[in-house]
Amino acid sequence: MQSFGTDIDAANALKNKFAEIKKAIGHVIVGQEDVVDKLVISILCNGHSLLVGVPGLAKTLLVKTVADVLDLSFKRIQFTPDLMPSDIVGAEILDEDRHFRFIKGPVFANIILADEINRTPPKTQAALLEAMQERNITAGGTLYKLPAPFFVLATQNPIEQEGTYPLPEAQLDRFMFQIWLDYPSFADEVNIVRTTTGASKTELPKVLDAEGILYFQDLIRRVPVPDNVLEYAVGLVHKTRPNTDAAPAVAKQYIAYGAGPRASQYLVLGAKCHSLLQGKYSPDIEDVQAMAMSVLRHRVVRNYKAEAEGITQESLIKQLL
């Protein structure tokens, strides 16, 4: 890992690395620039992300490409109704010497793709979510540390809900971002078809590594935040809570439950990272606003009236902004 004389030099290096990361990912993933931005920001902020999109939008390929470019170990777990917690975290077996030995599960990697996380029962969901929060697991009374850095990038299919187990709000709150993947534009889809139906193969460069990510995570924590930006972030979260004095009329009319303190923390952390990637050394209100949709989308719970009138979380957040 290259050493830097000052935090300013490190911040400039992070901006340059981010440009290299996006360029490298762009060799495989066409378009989806905002999705890539949010994914990289969540990793640099040591947060997890929930990817929501219809099948066939290259969610798995995107996460695999990010892992390759960042030179991180990658495991994919396909969640199914019969998946057990031991299938994720590992299990103790009796070896040939008649001693119990722990066999590590796929959760022991830097980046975990939890594919269709809502297709497995709550018991298995909880096993992964515990690892997300604590970044370690316990088996047979022994504590096992997960590799650092450690990220869970989970996917959900918003169309087919038959046979699914929706994540409860308390578990959704563990994800820093909920990132929506939409259909590509016509021009992007033409490029996708052209590049994926040819014979050429792309060799991805290793732009960053685990040590570098840990260094930049610490750098982002050291970024100073003006009081007015901090108060704006907390004030925005308070606006989502319908039973508080800060709640506007739209929140009291259409929101059942608002976001908790973790949303304020992620808004500020995301704004810090976003400001560095934009070449600034301290976040402003625009940086908080850039993070608001992805941070609040899965934390704002609509009431029956909002659902009946077809009012989405996105439209409510836009009004709060």
Side-chain angles (χ1 to χ4, degrees):
M1 175 64 196
Q2 180 185 352
S3 59
F4 302 99
T6 66
D7 283 353
I8 297 294
D9 295 336
N12 294 334
L14 175 58
K15 181 187 176 185
N16 295 333
K17 286 288 186 184
F18 178 65
E20 292 178 38
I21 290 169
K22 289 195 67 174
K23 182 179 179 182
I25 293 173
H27 291 315
V28 176
I29 303 298
V30 179
Q32 305 286 12
E33 288 195 11
D34 184 63
V35 174
V36 173
D37 289 353
K38 294 297 193 316
L39 263 185
V40 175
I41 287 173
S42 71
I43 289 174
L44 291 172
C45 292
N46 200 21
H48 310 286
S49 286
L50 182 64
L51 303 173
V52 181
V54 299
L57 294 183
K59 296 187 289 292
T60 302
L61 178 62
L62 171 60
V63 177
K64 179 68 168 65
T65 303
V66 170
D68 287 342
V69 171
L70 298 181
D71 198 17
L72 298 174
S73 59
F74 169 81
K75 294 287 179 63
R76 176 179 178 268
I77 306 171
Q78 180 64 53
F79 280 75
T80 56
D82 60 348
L83 199 70
M84 297 296 291
S86 59
D87 296 328
I88 295 174
V89 301
E92 284 196 325
I93 65 166
L94 194 63
D95 62 17
E96 60 273 11
D97 298 324
R98 301 188 66 80
H99 293 114
F100 281 105
R101 181 163 56 92
F102 180 69
I103 302 296
K104 292 181 178 180
V107 77
F108 285 87
N110 295 123
I111 293 184
I112 305 298
L113 174 60
D115 220 346
E116 294 196 282
I117 191 173
N118 57 333
R119 290 217 174 273
T120 201
K123 186 176 182 179
T124 307
Q125 290 175 359
L128 177 66
L129 292 162
E130 180 186 4
M132 289 168 54
Q133 184 67 21
E134 308 300 333
R135 286 179 164 78
N136 57 54
I137 64 149
T138 304
T142 303
L143 188 71
Y144 296 91
K145 287 279 186 184
L146 295 173
F150 175 73
F151 312 103
V152 172
L153 303 174
T155 69
Q156 281 192 161
N157 178 357
I159 298 177
E160 185 187 3
Q161 298 303 317
E162 185 177 347
T164 61
Y165 304 82
L167 291 175
E169 306 304 327
Q171 293 181 348
L172 281 174
D173 193 50
R174 296 175 190 266
F175 291 96
M176 178 178 183
F177 290 149
Q178 184 183 100
I179 305 171
W180 179 266
L181 281 82
D182 212 341
Y183 290 110
S185 65
F186 180 82
D188 285 343
E189 192 160 349
V190 169
N191 287 332
I192 290 169
V193 174
R194 180 182 292 115
T195 55
T196 56
T197 56
S200 61
K201 292 185 178 180
T202 303
E203 289 292 329
L204 291 172
K206 309 294 185 184
V207 179
L208 207 55
D209 58 15
E211 185 183 358
I213 291 170
L214 293 173
Y215 176 85
F216 286 127
Q217 285 178 353
D218 188 55
L219 173 70
I220 289 167
R221 291 273 179 175
R222 298 198 301 270
V223 172
V225 182
D227 287 343
N228 69 309
V229 176
L230 200 67
E231 291 168 3
Y232 178 82
V234 175
L236 178 59
V237 172
H238 271 253
K239 285 182 181 179
T240 67
R241 301 169 187 168
N243 297 323
T244 63
D245 296 335
V250 66
K252 294 179 178 179
Q253 188 175 6
Y254 293 117
I255 296 178
Y257 299 99
R262 194 175 279 154
S264 301
Q265 295 169 339
Y266 281 144
L267 277 176
V268 172
L269 264 180
K272 285 183 176 187
C273 184
H274 188 264
S275 67
L276 294 184
L277 301 183
Q278 299 300 313
K280 298 179 290 187
Y281 304 121
S282 183
D284 52 28
I285 288 175
E286 285 73 21
D287 293 309
V288 176
Q289 292 173 337
M291 299 293 103
M293 190 64 72
S294 297
V295 170
L296 297 177
R297 180 186 279 129
H298 56 301
R299 292 182 166 91
V300 172
V301 182
R302 298 172 298 162
N303 59 20
Y304 175 77
K305 184 176 182 181
E307 293 184 16
E309 296 182 16
I311 296 174
T312 63
Q313 284 97 333
E314 288 82 359
S315 64
L316 289 171
I317 295 167
K318 287 177 182 177
Q319 292 183 64
L320 295 176
L321 288 171

